Amino acid sequence: MDERAGLTPTLPRSNPTSSYWQDPFHQISNHRTTRELPKSVSTIIIGSGITGASIAYNVLGKPDTSSVLMLEARTSCSGATGRNGGHTKAASYRAFLDNVQDQGEEEAAKIARFEYKNIKAVHAFIREHRIDCDSWEGDTVDIIYDNSQWNRAEKSISAMKRILGEDDPAAQYTFHSASETVEKFLTEGAMGSVSYEAGSINAYKFVIGVLELALTRGLNLQTATLALKFGRSSGGKSRWTVETPRGSVGAERVIMATNGYTAFLYPPVKGIIVPLRRTVAAQRPGTSMPKEGLRTTYSFIYGNGYEYMVFRPPGSAFAGDLVIGGCSTKAPKEGLYERGTTDDTAMDTDIGQYVRDSAAGYFSSHWGEDDPDGRIRKQWT
């Protein structure tokens, strides 16, 4: 694992697998605010995903901001944000005991409350700015198949209620027995399940909406513009210089919102920020699944991993579709070779097959036959 973590990531590839969320591309997917790059700006943001878009929006809201340039290697929001499952889900109990051990009870409580408030803030922001991104708020359920995971969930949630308080919104969890899990959530063979507040969005459409807001505030967005390297400026007013195939740009500050690609531009974080490729599939539900669609999002938790799954809410494109992802530990060597990988142009054969089969396997007799148009609508990494 250490060897994989030490791999140097590549630049984003130009021909990634086609993401369900990015079909069709938005009108600003190939946006360039200006024909040429400016010579210098106050701030350069590298990356146009949820981190870069959020930073741009907030920086441009400050009265003393003069100019912000965003460099995107491919199309707008073409990386992990535009490719993941779309869960707005904290699952704070999963890390709570570790946080208590590492940070102490007070900090662990702050982290849990922050995670909960972040979910609420995202959906509130969507409502405030009327961003069309299939925002859905409701419950999620974690279906737990492993006895040690079940025992740890009971211990963790008990600790959360003690430390945060029984009535704290961030500590609200409901346990369901194995029989209740079958009846309520249509999944057999589990130890039980845990339900709590969460939600889902089309993260691609959400971030596109934030980018559009930032553009109205003066963002200069430049797609198809790779950041090749950056370093200290040798002279002039700018402290930093970023080099691209279209020329160099000076800046007072550079913000890398580059996720798993960061170590390419800044090698000191190699082994600290490590990419991990995931596989996702959008599936049509089986013929015996509820005709009105599911009413909760899911995670399926076992000894050494998990899958997550959201449903496409009423009123959205392909309403009722199930979007499921994760699954890397089901591959040979527990998917170790997916760690350190930034290649989203390809898909591992074993993991791809597992993802295609997983939802039908979890719902088992409740799945029925595959949809006449086929189970898989799209699959990608």
Side-chain angles (χ1 to χ4, degrees):
M1 183 172 290
D2 289 342
E3 180 182 349
R4 298 293 304 177
L7 295 175
T8 300
T10 65
L11 287 168
R13 290 165 168 82
S14 61
N15 58 331
T17 54
S18 175
S19 167
Y20 173 81
W21 306 110
Q22 299 175 46
D23 184 9
F25 287 113
H26 192 271
Q27 62 184 10
I28 69 164
S29 62
N30 294 299
H31 182 85
R32 285 183 175 177
T33 304
T34 56
R35 184 173 180 176
E36 304 294 337
L37 294 178
K39 296 298 182 184
S40 64
V41 293
S42 60
T43 302
I44 294 176
I45 299 171
I46 305 173
S48 67
I50 193 168
T51 302
S54 301
I55 292 171
Y57 175 79
N58 284 286
V59 167
L60 287 162
K62 299 181 182 300
D64 57 346
T65 301
S66 55
S67 56
V68 176
L69 172 67
M70 177 177 286
L71 302 176
E72 166 55 51
R74 303 189 296 203
T75 59
S76 298
C77 193
S78 58
T81 304
R83 312 181 73 79
N84 64 23
H87 243 153
T88 51
K89 174 173 178 172
S92 300
Y93 79 94
R94 300 264 292 154
F96 188 76
L97 294 177
D98 290 334
N99 291 337
V100 169
Q101 180 177 341
D102 295 341
Q103 306 294 332
E105 291 186 354
E106 183 177 354
E107 288 302 312
K110 287 181 181 179
I111 292 169
R113 290 185 177 118
F114 175 81
E115 290 173 333
Y116 176 80
K117 290 177 180 178
N118 183 60
I119 293 171
K120 304 301 286 185
V122 167
H123 289 280
F125 185 92
I126 291 167
R127 288 192 297 272
E128 178 186 355
H129 297 281
R130 300 181 179 181
I131 298 176
D132 178 15
C133 62
D134 308 327
S135 174
W136 176 86
E137 296 176 86
D139 281 347
T140 190
V141 64
D142 292 351
I143 312 295
I144 302 177
Y145 295 90
D146 179 78
N147 186 61
S148 63
Q149 294 282 359
W150 179 259
N151 292 337
R152 184 173 175 82
E154 290 184 316
K155 182 179 179 181
S156 181
I157 290 170
S158 176
M160 290 185 73
K161 291 183 178 294
R162 176 180 60 83
I163 295 169
L164 278 73
E166 290 279 346
D167 298 328
D168 193 297
Q172 300 308 300
Y173 295 88
T174 301
F175 284 93
H176 306 273
S177 68
S179 60
E180 288 174 325
T181 299
V182 175
E183 180 181 356
K184 290 176 67 69
F185 306 115
L186 310 179
T187 50
E188 301 171 4
M191 299 292 300
S193 55
V194 182
S195 61
Y196 48 101
E197 189 175 357
S200 67
I201 59 173
N202 181 325
Y204 174 69
K205 290 173 69 176
F206 170 64
V207 169
I208 289 293
V210 177
L211 287 172
E212 289 184 308
L213 291 171
L215 287 168
T216 66
R217 290 184 167 187
L219 174 65
N220 185 337
L221 170 60
Q222 297 287 333
T223 61
T225 305
L226 286 163
L228 300 174
K229 61 186 293 188
F230 85 104
R232 292 278 186 180
S233 296
S234 58
K237 296 181 179 180
S238 299
R239 297 175 59 197
W240 302 95
T241 298
V242 176
E243 296 182 17
T244 83
R246 300 169 58 203
S248 299
V249 185
E252 285 300 301
R253 59 180 175 178
V254 175
I255 300 170
M256 287 181 287
T258 42
N259 203 352
Y261 299 103
T262 303
F264 178 90
L265 291 171
Y266 190 62
V269 301
K270 186 163 62 175
I272 300 171
I273 300 176
V274 181
L276 176 62
R277 185 171 64 184
R278 293 293 197 187
T279 301
V280 190
Q283 307 188 5
R284 302 174 181 91
T287 56
S288 295
M289 295 290 281
K291 301 304 179 186
E292 68 277 11
L294 296 175
R295 289 294 178 263
T296 184
T297 65
Y298 285 70
S299 289
F300 306 97
I301 299 171
Y302 40 88
N304 65 341
Y306 67 93
E307 280 82 61
Y308 63 83
M309 189 186 78
V310 303
F311 65 90
R312 301 290 287 121
S316 63
F318 306 121
D321 272 9
L322 306 177
V323 181
I324 187 166
C327 319
S328 63
T329 59
K330 293 296 185 179
K333 299 183 179 180
E334 296 190 349
L336 179 65
Y337 45 82
E338 298 290 273
R339 185 175 172 86
T341 299
T342 54
D343 183 4
D344 55 7
T345 69
M347 185 185 311
D348 177 80
T349 302
D350 293 313
I351 296 174
Q353 186 62 54
Y354 180 82
V355 173
R356 288 192 290 275
D357 295 341
S358 56
Y362 285 126
F363 289 105
S364 187
S365 62
H366 299 281
W367 183 262
E369 300 295 324
D370 282 343
D371 187 279
D373 291 330
R375 179 184 298 177
I376 303 301
R377 194 180 296 277
K378 190 179 283 283
Q379 190 168 16
W380 67 99
T381 55

